[in-house]
């Protein structure tokens, strides 16, 4: 029967192929997640003076870590702060990304290659280094801005004041994130068939009208996805404020939710409390991103 | 554009649709002045900090504070010497470590992504779609939230403050698996697999000798995305490492700035270190431009 044999896909090979990913998934995701949930319900009990072996025991804590996390005013403040931060950063960044993507896709705009490369370049700069660079540009003694502003008779505001620091940090996010989102949108724009707006152009529609009426609706899926991922990423902001913190007292060690988690875990040595905060943040993220993707799938990807 | 369909229902034709309109717009007419100006303004905004650090790295501490920012001075070489002398040359250690973390992590990640994406795309097996959904849902787990438990677990097995503690968590990349899956579907035809099997080719060799070469352009893209992700990583090594000699650049420069805040005499070193740390990435970025393909990031593969 050899000559009529049809090649059949083997049964075991695919399992061998996915085995490394499954093992890593279990070790690096599932177990840490399970361990965090477990820790979040534990606490240290100190008996006596807390001296000697056995004086500190790990005991079941119920929901007390969650309760103290939720009633911690600094955590609540950091949550509010990160929401405002995201509200400032995401619209500005995606608005600029869309504007530049449309400019790259428009006719009669020059220097498109130079513009594309320059605006994408910050993607190659690590967030910590970007924060260092902007941090120096914000320092009046080092920055070129005071001199330039002086030419126009202006003075530089304190960019690390309690009212301005959030914007200063958000600017670093805008700088670092616009290019990547621009490229994703630009790629989506190039996939729009030209015939779709050739007719509009012949009818005398302006470039702006074509952009608003045809191009932007056509790339709605790209806009929604960049939006969802940007929101998720900005809520996890850590590196920028952590890097700027040594330059100013405005940015406290628990300025943003993840800084608060770090501070609790490593400065206060309270891994249990940090675990409870992590679980709450992760749950909120999961609900938010799942909900956003669900909603956008329904609206934007209908029919697919 | 169908980036994350949690039901995994991106069809082959969608993934492979070549959106190639690259030659559709010849220049006609003159220049639109205002849009061009806006684009250039954006470019200036993005280049400003990079140009600043290039110039500022030519200044010593006094010049950094006293001379006009965009006027270069001649202290670059002495800054580099000062940085190299700092703490017994630890800066170059950081540079080397970063290269090890980024290259090692990205290579391992690309390999795992390739084999997993290929298996998900080209085999029908029990549990395939459950596995697919599970791996992609990993994208939704904030990595930063995992860092603390990962640290505690690594501490239990005595792996904190080791190269492994930074390398191992960066190997599994849901995004890389997703890209490899799209690429395997689009670039490896079923007929080729079929005929190799009829010729008696074992599955392992079929993957390594036939599928991988077809997937190479996509794998380079995955490598680059992972390379940048590891190169940029801060929180994970910041938590895991305490030995200065194992730091990557991001953590090293951060500690340098931290010390500099009490002794501004270190600022020139921080500036020079920042400058040196972005040069390799910018060179890579400019030379490997054609591999920065977000078209596969957006779910479509040009062929």
């Amino acid at each position: 029967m050899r000559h009529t044999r049809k090649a059949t896909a083997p049964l075991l090979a695919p399992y061998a192929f996915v085995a490394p990913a499954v093992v890593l998934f279990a070790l690096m995701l599932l177990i840490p997640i399970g361990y965090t949930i477990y820790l979040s319900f534990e606490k240290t009990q100190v008996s006596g003076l807390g001296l000697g072996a056995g004086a500190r025991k790990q005991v079941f804590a119920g929901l007390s870590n969650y309760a103290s996390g939720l009633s911690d005013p600094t955590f609540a403040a950091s949550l509010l702060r990160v929401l405002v931060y995201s509200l400032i950063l995401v619209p500005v960044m995606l608005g600029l990304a869309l504007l530049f993507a449309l400019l790259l896709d428009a006719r009669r705009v020059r220097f498109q290659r130079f513009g594309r490369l320059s605006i994408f370049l910050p993607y190659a700069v690590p967030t910590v280094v970007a924060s260092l660079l902007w941090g120096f540009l914000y320092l009046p003694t080092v920055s070129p801005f005071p001199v330039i502003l002086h030419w126009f008779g202006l003075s530089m505001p304190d960019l690390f004041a309690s009212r301005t620091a959030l914007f200063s940090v958000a600017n670093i996010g805008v700088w670092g994130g616009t290019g990547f989102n621009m490229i994703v949108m630009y790629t989506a724009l190039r996939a729009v068939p030209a015939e779709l707006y050739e007719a509009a152009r012949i009818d005398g529609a302006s470039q702006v009208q074509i952009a608003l009426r045809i191009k932007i609706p056509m790339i709605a899926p790209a806009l929604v996805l960049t939006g969802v991922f940007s929101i998720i990423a900005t809520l996890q902001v850590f590196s920028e404020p952590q890097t700027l913190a040594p330059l100013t007292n405005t940015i406290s060690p628990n300025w943003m939710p993840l800084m608060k988690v770090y501070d609790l875990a490593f400065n206060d040595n309270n891994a249990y409390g940090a675990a409870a905060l992590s679980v709450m943040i992760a749950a909120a993220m999961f609900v938010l991103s799942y909900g956003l993707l669900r909603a956008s799938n329904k609206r934007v990807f209908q029919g697919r | 554009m169908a980036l994350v369909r949690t039901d995994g229902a991106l069809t082959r034709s969608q993934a492979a649709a070549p959106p190639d309109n690259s030659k559709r717009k010849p220049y006609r007419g003159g220049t639109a002045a205002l849009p061009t100006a806006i684009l250039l303004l954006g470019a200036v905004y993005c280049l400003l900090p990079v140009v600043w650090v290039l110039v500022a790295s030519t200044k010593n501490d006094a010049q950094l504070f006293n001379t006009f920012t965009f006027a270069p001075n001649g202290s670059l070489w002495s800054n580099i010497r000062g940085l190299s002398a700092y703490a017994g040359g630890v800066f170059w250690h950081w540079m080397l470590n970063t290269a090890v973390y980024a290259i090692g992590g990205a290579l391992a990640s690309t390999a795992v992504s390739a084999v997993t994406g290929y298996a998900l795309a080209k085999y029908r097996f029990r549990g395939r779609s459950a596995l697919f959904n599970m791996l992609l849902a990993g994208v939704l787990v904030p990595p930063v939230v995992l860092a603390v438990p990962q640290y505690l677990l690594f501490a239990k097995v005595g792996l904190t403050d080791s190269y492994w503690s930074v390398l191992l968590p960066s190997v599994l990349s849901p995004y890389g698996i997703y890209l490899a899956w799209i690429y395997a579907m689009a670039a490896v035809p079923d007929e080729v697999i079929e005929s190799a099997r009829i010729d008696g080719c074992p599955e392992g060799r079929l993957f390594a000798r036939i599928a991988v070469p077809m997937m190479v352009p996509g794998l380079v893209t995955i490598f680059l995305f992972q390379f940048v992700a590891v190169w940029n990583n801060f929180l994970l090594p910041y938590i895991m490492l305490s030995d200065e000699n194992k730091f990557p650049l991001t953590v090293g420069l951060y500690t340098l700035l931290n010390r500099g805040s009490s002794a501004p005499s270190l600022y020139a070193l921080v500036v020079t270190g920042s400058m040196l740390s972005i040069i390799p990435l910018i060179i890579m970025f400019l030379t490997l431009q054609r591999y920065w393909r977000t078209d596969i990031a957006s779910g479509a593969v040009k062929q």
Side-chain angles (χ1 to χ4, degrees):
Chain A
M1 297 290 280
R2 212 155 218 232
H3 54 287
T4 59
R5 187 183 69 175
K6 191 169 181 288
T8 49
L11 289 171
L12 287 178
Y15 293 104
F17 284 159
V18 299
V22 171
V23 170
L24 282 166
F25 189 83
L27 285 179
M28 295 300 147
L29 264 106
L30 288 184
I31 294 177
I33 290 172
Y35 190 57
T36 315
I37 294 172
Y38 163 73
L39 283 179
S40 71
F41 293 109
E42 297 284 303
K43 65 177 176 190
T44 310
Q45 192 172 58
V46 184
S47 53
L49 291 168
L51 303 169
R56 285 167 178 276
K57 274 196 307 190
Q58 187 177 317
V59 296
F60 183 67
L63 290 169
S64 67
N65 289 324
Y66 290 89
S68 57
L70 286 174
S71 60
D72 184 341
T74 59
F75 185 56
S78 72
L79 284 179
L80 191 65
R81 192 171 288 120
V82 84
L83 286 178
V84 176
Y85 172 77
S86 190
L87 228 55
I88 300 169
L89 170 52
V90 175
V92 173
M93 176 176 74
L94 295 185
L96 285 176
L98 178 61
L99 173 67
F100 293 135
L102 287 168
L103 290 176
L104 292 182
D105 194 56
R107 291 139 51 97
R108 301 198 296 124
V109 174
R110 304 284 161 168
F111 303 110
Q112 287 180 324
R113 190 181 142 79
F114 171 74
R116 192 185 68 210
L117 275 179
S118 308
I119 297 171
F120 190 35
L121 189 70
Y123 175 70
V125 178
T127 311
V128 169
V129 176
S131 309
L132 285 173
L133 300 186
W134 279 106
F136 281 119
L137 291 175
Y138 294 157
L139 282 183
T141 46
V142 188
S143 172
F145 297 141
V147 180
I148 294 168
L149 287 170
H150 189 74
W151 295 340
F152 300 97
L154 300 166
S155 63
M156 186 160 103
D158 178 4
L159 295 172
F160 286 129
S162 54
R163 284 172 177 279
T164 51
L166 202 58
F167 292 92
S168 303
V169 178
N171 172 57
I172 302 173
V174 170
W175 185 76
T178 299
F180 183 79
N181 289 298
M182 171 191 79
I183 294 288
V184 172
M185 293 175 190
Y186 175 60
T187 312
L189 278 174
R190 305 242 302 181
V192 176
E195 307 84 65
L196 274 181
Y197 42 84
E198 217 47 71
R201 184 173 297 146
I202 292 164
D203 288 347
S206 72
Q207 289 276 319
V208 175
Q209 280 172 322
I210 290 173
L212 290 177
R213 300 275 175 79
I214 301 174
K215 288 184 178 179
I216 293 179
M218 281 301 290
I219 63 162
L223 298 180
V224 168
L225 280 169
T226 50
V228 172
F229 283 114
S230 302
I231 292 169
I232 296 170
T234 51
L235 293 180
Q236 296 181 47
V237 62
F238 178 81
S239 305
E240 296 96 334
Q242 187 75 18
T243 309
L244 291 181
L247 296 174
T248 169
N249 290 327
T250 308
I251 299 176
S252 61
N254 44 33
W255 207 60
M256 286 291 179
L258 289 172
M259 295 170 75
K260 172 78 188 170
V261 172
Y262 179 87
D263 190 45
L264 203 56
F266 295 100
N267 295 335
D268 296 345
N269 282 316
N270 182 358
Y272 313 109
L277 295 187
S278 300
V279 170
M280 289 192 279
I281 294 171
M285 295 287 212
F286 198 82
V287 169
L288 182 72
S289 40
Y290 189 77
L292 285 172
L293 284 173
R294 226 17 225 262
S296 56
N297 258 340
K298 280 215 182 92
R299 287 210 174 164
V300 187
F301 303 96
Q302 45 181 296
R304 284 216 186 166
Chain B
M1 167 114 188
L3 189 47
V4 173
R5 293 287 314 256
T6 40
D7 57 357
L10 185 97
T11 64
R12 183 165 172 193
S13 62
Q14 279 170 334
D20 195 359
N21 295 308
S22 46
K23 294 183 196 84
R24 75 172 189 230
K25 277 177 298 169
Y27 275 126
R28 266 187 287 159
T31 300
L34 182 65
T36 303
I38 295 173
L39 187 66
L40 287 178
L41 209 60
V44 168
Y45 166 66
C46 288
L47 290 177
L48 178 81
V50 176
V51 172
W52 176 81
V53 79
L54 290 177
V55 178
S57 62
T58 66
K59 295 166 186 287
N60 63 26
D61 283 305
Q63 291 158 342
L64 199 55
F65 291 102
N66 297 329
T67 59
F68 179 62
T69 322
F70 286 113
N73 296 81
S75 306
L76 176 62
W77 184 238
S78 73
N79 280 342
I80 293 178
R81 277 214 317 256
L83 188 64
S84 305
Y86 174 76
V90 75
F91 176 81
W92 297 106
H93 244 99
W94 298 339
M95 187 75 104
L96 197 67
N97 290 339
T98 306
V100 169
Y101 293 132
I103 294 173
L107 275 179
S109 182
T110 307
V112 170
S113 300
V115 71
T116 313
Y118 168 76
L120 289 171
K122 290 295 162 186
Y123 292 88
R124 293 290 164 269
F125 56 96
R126 270 179 76 90
R128 188 192 71 92
S129 64
L131 181 69
F132 183 90
N133 289 337
M134 186 183 80
L135 289 175
L136 280 207
V139 153
L140 301 182
V141 181
V144 270
V145 172
L146 287 172
V148 174
Q150 279 172 348
Y151 169 81
L152 296 171
L153 289 166
F154 272 97
K156 278 198 193 293
V157 291
L159 273 180
T160 46
D161 206 17
S162 70
Y163 283 90
W164 292 114
S165 64
V166 177
L167 279 171
L168 282 177
S170 28
V171 173
L172 185 76
S173 159
Y175 189 54
I177 292 173
Y178 171 77
L179 292 182
W181 171 70
I182 286 188
Y183 222 83
M185 280 201 302
V188 186
D190 286 330
E191 304 79 54
V192 173
I193 297 180
E194 192 79 351
S195 60
R197 271 192 199 131
I198 290 172
D199 291 344
C201 181
E203 297 300 312
R205 195 186 320 162
L206 172 52
F207 168 70
R209 296 283 170 79
I210 297 171
V212 167
M214 290 173 156
M215 292 167 69
V216 158
L219 296 183
V220 174
T221 306
I222 296 173
F223 177 86
L224 288 176
F225 276 118
Q226 262 325 92
F227 184 92
V228 170
V230 182
W231 189 283
N232 287 351
N233 204 345
F234 172 66
L235 181 70
L236 182 77
Y238 181 55
I239 285 179
M240 291 286 183
L241 304 174
S242 51
D243 176 4
E244 207 174 47
N245 285 314
K246 297 196 181 92
F247 284 174
L249 279 167
T250 49
V251 180
L253 288 172
Y254 171 76
T255 54
L256 199 58
L257 178 73
N258 227 334
R259 264 170 236 164
S261 63
S262 51
S265 59
L266 287 176
Y267 277 4
L269 296 190
V270 179
V271 169
T272 309
S274 302
M275 188 275 289
L276 291 173
S277 76
I278 58 175
I279 298 266
L281 268 193
I282 289 179
I283 290 174
M284 198 175 95
F285 171 84
L286 291 176
T287 52
L288 296 175
Q289 251 191 79
R290 67 197 185 93
Y291 288 105
W292 288 110
R293 304 189 30 174
T294 48
D295 52 339
I296 82 167
S298 60
V301 180
K302 280 186 211 174
Q303 288 187 303

